[in-house]
Amino acid sequence: MKDLKYYLKEVEEIFAKEVFVAEPKELYEPIEYTLRLGGKRIRPTLLLAADALFGGNIDEAKGAALGIETFHNFTLLHDDLMDRSPLRRGQPTVYCKWDENTAILSGDTMYALAWRYFLRQPSPRLHAILQCFNETGIEVCEGQQKDMNFERSSEVSIDDYMDMIRQKTAVLLAGALKIGALYAGAPDTEVEKLYSFGIHLGLAFQLQDDLLDGYGDTAVFGKKTGQDIRDNKKTYLPLRALQLCNAAQQNELQRLFATKDNMDEEEKVRRVMALYDEVGLKGEVEKAIADEFQKAARTLDDIQADEPLKLPLRELMDTLNGRKK
Amino acid sequence: MKDLKYYLKEVEEIFAKEVFVAEPKELYEPIEYTLRLGGKRIRPTLLLAADALFGGNIDEAKGAALGIETFHNFTLLHDDLMDRSPLRRGQPTVYCKWDENTAILSGDTMYALAWRYFLRQPSPRLHAILQCFNETGIEVCEGQQKDMNFERSSEVSIDDYMDMIRQKTAVLLAGALKIGALYAGAPDTEVEKLYSFGIHLGLAFQLQDDLLDGYGDTAVFGKKTGQDIRDNKKTYLPLRALQLCNAAQQNELQRLFATKDNMDEEEKVRRVMALYDEVGLKGEVEKAIADEFQKAARTLDDIQADEPLKLPLRELMDTLNGRKK
């Protein structure tokens, strides 16, 4: 039986075989560096598993698998530059290791390479596939802009936030699944269900990210918790906490998230976490995550396809559900 | 008879009709600003004229015309950021009017929008069209990288330079023509001739740019001449001059192009221009430009198509040939 590990191995082989080195080397070395850094390779794995779910020949979708991961890494490369993040996957980001212009132009080229990989293999549904890939890309850009807008806005609702993470994170998982299903020639109704499964999975994934920043086990999580608090980032945690707070607590939370450099950072993290605990935030967020995973599971149940072929998607869902980092 | 003006008007109408405003406005306002700034619209005009040259229905290629110009403006937007240029078409560049992150993300989104426009209208040859668009885009990125590399390199040959401007400038003109011809279903042999016409046209166009920087009439040119000299830019002018110089002149030219801030700028421009005049550079560059225009004209003559339909391409070539700015 082809399980999650099988598809992950297929994806690793696709990347191992591909040559990213080309001329001029100043352009392609950062690209190869980025694409060889690894990562969980969730999106191409979802794409291949979705193709197989509807009886597709995954060999025909391998270009798209490479393309979707290349696109994802392009967005990370530009995001790291925009956020001025020094590290990605424990290694220096391209803009730090090289410079800003290299990050801009190598990123642009990676986006073009993603298209090259998508165009490598024709398909009767290529037009729909490329449209899905492109509209997904536009949504990811819109999501990133909204994320940046939130940093400067004092009025962010939970709905705004969920819409932002849907665009910034969930649509790319959903798009990867949809593209895989399109390669297999799946019926429209099932394609849409799979897309919806991906959206719930993506929302759960992002909410977990937010939760881990506050409640992760530093030893397992691999980085210091509380970074979003130090950065005054309006993630799901403070937004949901505000709903659970009484007026006095709301004032304190808003005050803590408005401070910059005028309070000891660790003291600030402690006080925010204490407030979170007072209102029982952890359980509430866990409930929201469980809710999205449940919706994802039900949507997957509802898809008309061979049950054994759903195995890798269920495994991936379980892996993400249990993740501690 | 449909002349150059006719196709330019068609292109203006395509842009006038298109809505670039969308949410979030922080992302789309800079895009609309960029796409409404105007410019010569050479690439979409070439695309439509090439489509008509082989009997195509230009309505079917309008999405591609919009797409190629949107892509071109995306590259200008990111180039202006990388070059830290304050002005474009007499107006503040996006990175100056807004900020760096806005320039990065709006640029990325414009690239995705270019794909949306290309995907708007299906065509039996869509796969070849999209591949041409994408490979052209990759070459433009490679050309831009080479251009940046040259700034730091002391060993740039004329061949290196011609290869760089072919990628950075000429392939996009050639690609626009090829895409137009593909929409019309032109035979492969003629498509390749038209591509070659575009390469010569693009090389001539860029060499003219270099020449105008040194010898343009400031009143007509609209900007101060000698900027490439002030910036120590290794354009065709100094590279060709080096070939024409004797050893003593070579030394002086290399010394002048190595100086930074330790000589009065205007004095430097005067001395470089004096050297150029000593070796008769202007005539030599004009000869090289005329040579490319002649190759372009001969290639166009050789294309199997109705002569009257070649009119707009001849007019464009003549306009570019006579341009003073």
Side-chain angles (χ1 to χ4, degrees), chain A residues 162-178:
Chain A
M162 294 304 286
D163 176 58
M164 184 276 282
I165 65 171
R166 185 187 61 76
Q167 288 196 301
K168 191 175 165 169
T169 305
V171 297
L172 193 56
L173 300 185
L177 288 159
K178 180 170 173 171

Side-chain angles (χ1 to χ4, degrees), chain A residues 25-280:
Chain A
K25 66 178 187 350
E26 292 81 357
L27 185 66
Y28 286 100
E29 271 173 5
I31 293 176
E32 144 140 284
Y33 170 79
T34 303
L35 292 172
R36 296 262 178 255
L37 265 187
K40 293 190 269 288
R41 308 289 196 207
I42 293 173
R43 293 150 195 86
T45 306
L46 285 174
L47 195 152
L48 295 185
D51 180 40
L53 179 63
F54 296 106
N57 172 358
I58 67 164
D59 282 337
E60 292 164 10
K62 283 182 177 173
L66 190 56
I68 203 98
E69 184 70 4
T70 302
F71 172 80
H72 174 57
N73 278 275
F74 143 67
T75 66
L76 298 181
L77 204 166
H78 275 192
D79 283 6
D80 287 341
L81 169 60
M82 290 187 274
D83 300 342
R84 296 286 183 274
S85 307
L87 293 175
R88 166 75 58 186
R89 291 166 188 146
Q91 300 293 322
T93 51
V94 168
Y95 108 89
C96 275
K97 195 175 159 80
W98 284 272
D99 53 36
E100 291 180 29
N101 284 0
T102 301
I104 294 169
L105 195 60
S106 293
D108 292 346
T109 309
M110 274 173 75
Y111 191 8
L113 287 177
W115 281 100
R116 177 186 280 174
Y117 302 139
F118 263 96
L119 289 166
R120 197 180 268 175
Q121 292 163 306
S123 153
R125 297 187 81 168
L126 192 64
H127 193 256
I129 287 162
L130 298 179
Q131 256 178 341
C132 176
F133 172 52
N134 191 46
E135 294 304 316
T136 301
I138 291 173
E139 288 213 75
V140 172
C141 291
E142 291 176 354
Q144 168 70 4
Q145 181 66 52
K146 288 177 185 172
D147 196 13
M148 298 197 302
N149 289 351
F150 287 176
E151 283 175 32
R152 280 167 291 183
S153 162
S154 54
E155 291 290 323
V156 179
S157 72
I158 291 257
D159 282 352
D160 292 337
Y161 184 76
M162 294 304 286
D163 176 58
M164 184 276 282
I165 65 171
R166 185 187 61 76
Q167 288 196 301
K168 191 175 165 169
T169 305
V171 297
L172 193 56
L173 300 185
L177 288 159
K178 180 170 173 171
I179 289 165
L182 286 171
Y183 269 102
D188 289 348
T189 52
E190 306 315 298
V191 173
E192 287 316 310
K193 283 183 211 162
L194 200 58
Y195 189 84
S196 168
F197 163 73
I199 293 290
H200 292 304
L201 197 68
L203 293 176
F205 183 81
Q206 185 58 53
L207 293 181
Q208 259 183 335
D209 234 45
D210 293 356
L211 185 69
L212 284 170
D213 183 80
Y215 295 94
D217 177 341
T218 307
V220 188
F221 188 42
K223 45 188 174 181
K224 239 163 91 174
T225 58
Q227 195 51 43
D228 290 343
I229 298 172
R230 279 178 216 101
D231 294 343
N232 293 327
K233 258 196 114 177
K234 288 152 206 129
T235 73
Y236 190 81
L237 267 56
L239 295 174
R240 183 76 184 99
L242 277 178
Q243 294 185 320
L244 301 165
C245 284
N246 61 33
Q249 290 167 323
Q250 276 188 5
N251 277 340
E252 196 188 343
L253 191 55
Q254 271 160 341
R255 206 176 45 78
L256 285 165
F257 266 82
T259 56
K260 269 225 154 113
D261 304 325
N262 54 354
M263 181 192 280
D264 176 69
E265 281 205 326
E266 299 320 304
E267 172 61 13
K268 174 173 157 181
V269 172
R270 266 192 301 276
R271 284 168 70 174
V272 169
M273 292 303 296
L275 253 174
Y276 285 175
D277 290 342
E278 276 176 42
V279 298

Side-chain angles (χ1 to χ4, degrees), chain B residues 73-127:
Chain B
N73 278 275
F74 143 67
T75 66
L76 298 181
L77 203 166
H78 275 192
D79 283 5
D80 286 341
L81 169 60
M82 290 187 274
D83 299 342
R84 296 286 183 273
S85 307
L87 292 175
R88 165 75 58 187
R89 291 166 187 147
Q91 299 294 321
T93 51
V94 167
Y95 109 88
C96 274
K97 195 175 159 78
W98 284 272
D99 54 36
E100 291 180 28
N101 284 0
T102 301
I104 294 168
L105 196 60
S106 292
D108 293 347
T109 309
M110 274 174 76
Y111 192 7
L113 287 177
W115 281 101
R116 176 187 280 175
Y117 302 139
F118 263 96
L119 289 166
R120 196 180 268 174
Q121 292 163 306
S123 152
R125 298 187 81 169
L126 192 65
H127 193 256

Side-chain angles (χ1 to χ4, degrees), chain B residues 106-276:
Chain B
S106 292
D108 293 347
T109 309
M110 274 174 76
Y111 192 7
L113 287 177
W115 281 101
R116 176 187 280 175
Y117 302 139
F118 263 96
L119 289 166
R120 196 180 268 174
Q121 292 163 306
S123 152
R125 298 187 81 169
L126 192 65
H127 193 256
I129 288 162
L130 298 179
Q131 256 178 341
C132 176
F133 171 52
N134 192 46
E135 294 304 317
T136 300
I138 291 173
E139 287 213 75
V140 172
C141 291
E142 291 176 353
Q144 168 70 3
Q145 181 67 51
K146 287 177 185 171
D147 195 15
M148 299 197 302
N149 289 351
F150 288 176
E151 283 175 32
R152 280 167 292 183
S153 164
S154 54
E155 292 290 322
V156 179
S157 71
I158 291 258
D159 282 353
D160 292 338
Y161 184 75
M162 294 304 286
D163 176 59
M164 183 276 281
I165 65 171
R166 186 187 61 77
Q167 289 196 301
K168 191 174 166 171
T169 305
V171 296
L172 193 56
L173 299 185
L177 288 159
K178 180 170 173 171
I179 288 164
L182 286 171
Y183 268 103
D188 289 349
T189 53
E190 307 315 297
V191 173
E192 286 317 309
K193 283 183 210 162
L194 200 58
Y195 188 85
S196 168
F197 163 73
I199 294 291
H200 293 304
L201 197 68
L203 294 176
F205 182 82
Q206 186 57 53
L207 293 182
Q208 258 183 336
D209 235 45
D210 293 356
L211 185 69
L212 284 170
D213 184 80
Y215 294 93
D217 177 343
T218 308
V220 189
F221 188 42
K223 45 187 173 182
K224 238 164 89 174
T225 58
Q227 195 51 44
D228 289 343
I229 298 172
R230 281 178 215 100
D231 294 345
N232 294 327
K233 258 194 115 179
K234 289 153 206 127
T235 72
Y236 190 79
L237 267 55
L239 295 174
R240 184 75 184 98
L242 277 178
Q243 294 185 320
L244 301 166
C245 284
N246 62 32
Q249 290 167 324
Q250 276 189 5
N251 277 340
E252 195 188 343
L253 191 56
Q254 270 160 343
R255 207 177 45 78
L256 285 164
F257 267 82
T259 57
K260 268 220 155 118
D261 304 326
N262 53 355
M263 181 193 282
D264 176 69
E265 281 203 329
E266 299 319 306
E267 171 63 14
K268 174 173 157 180
V269 173
R270 265 192 302 276
R271 284 168 70 173
V272 169
M273 291 304 294
L275 253 175
Y276 285 175

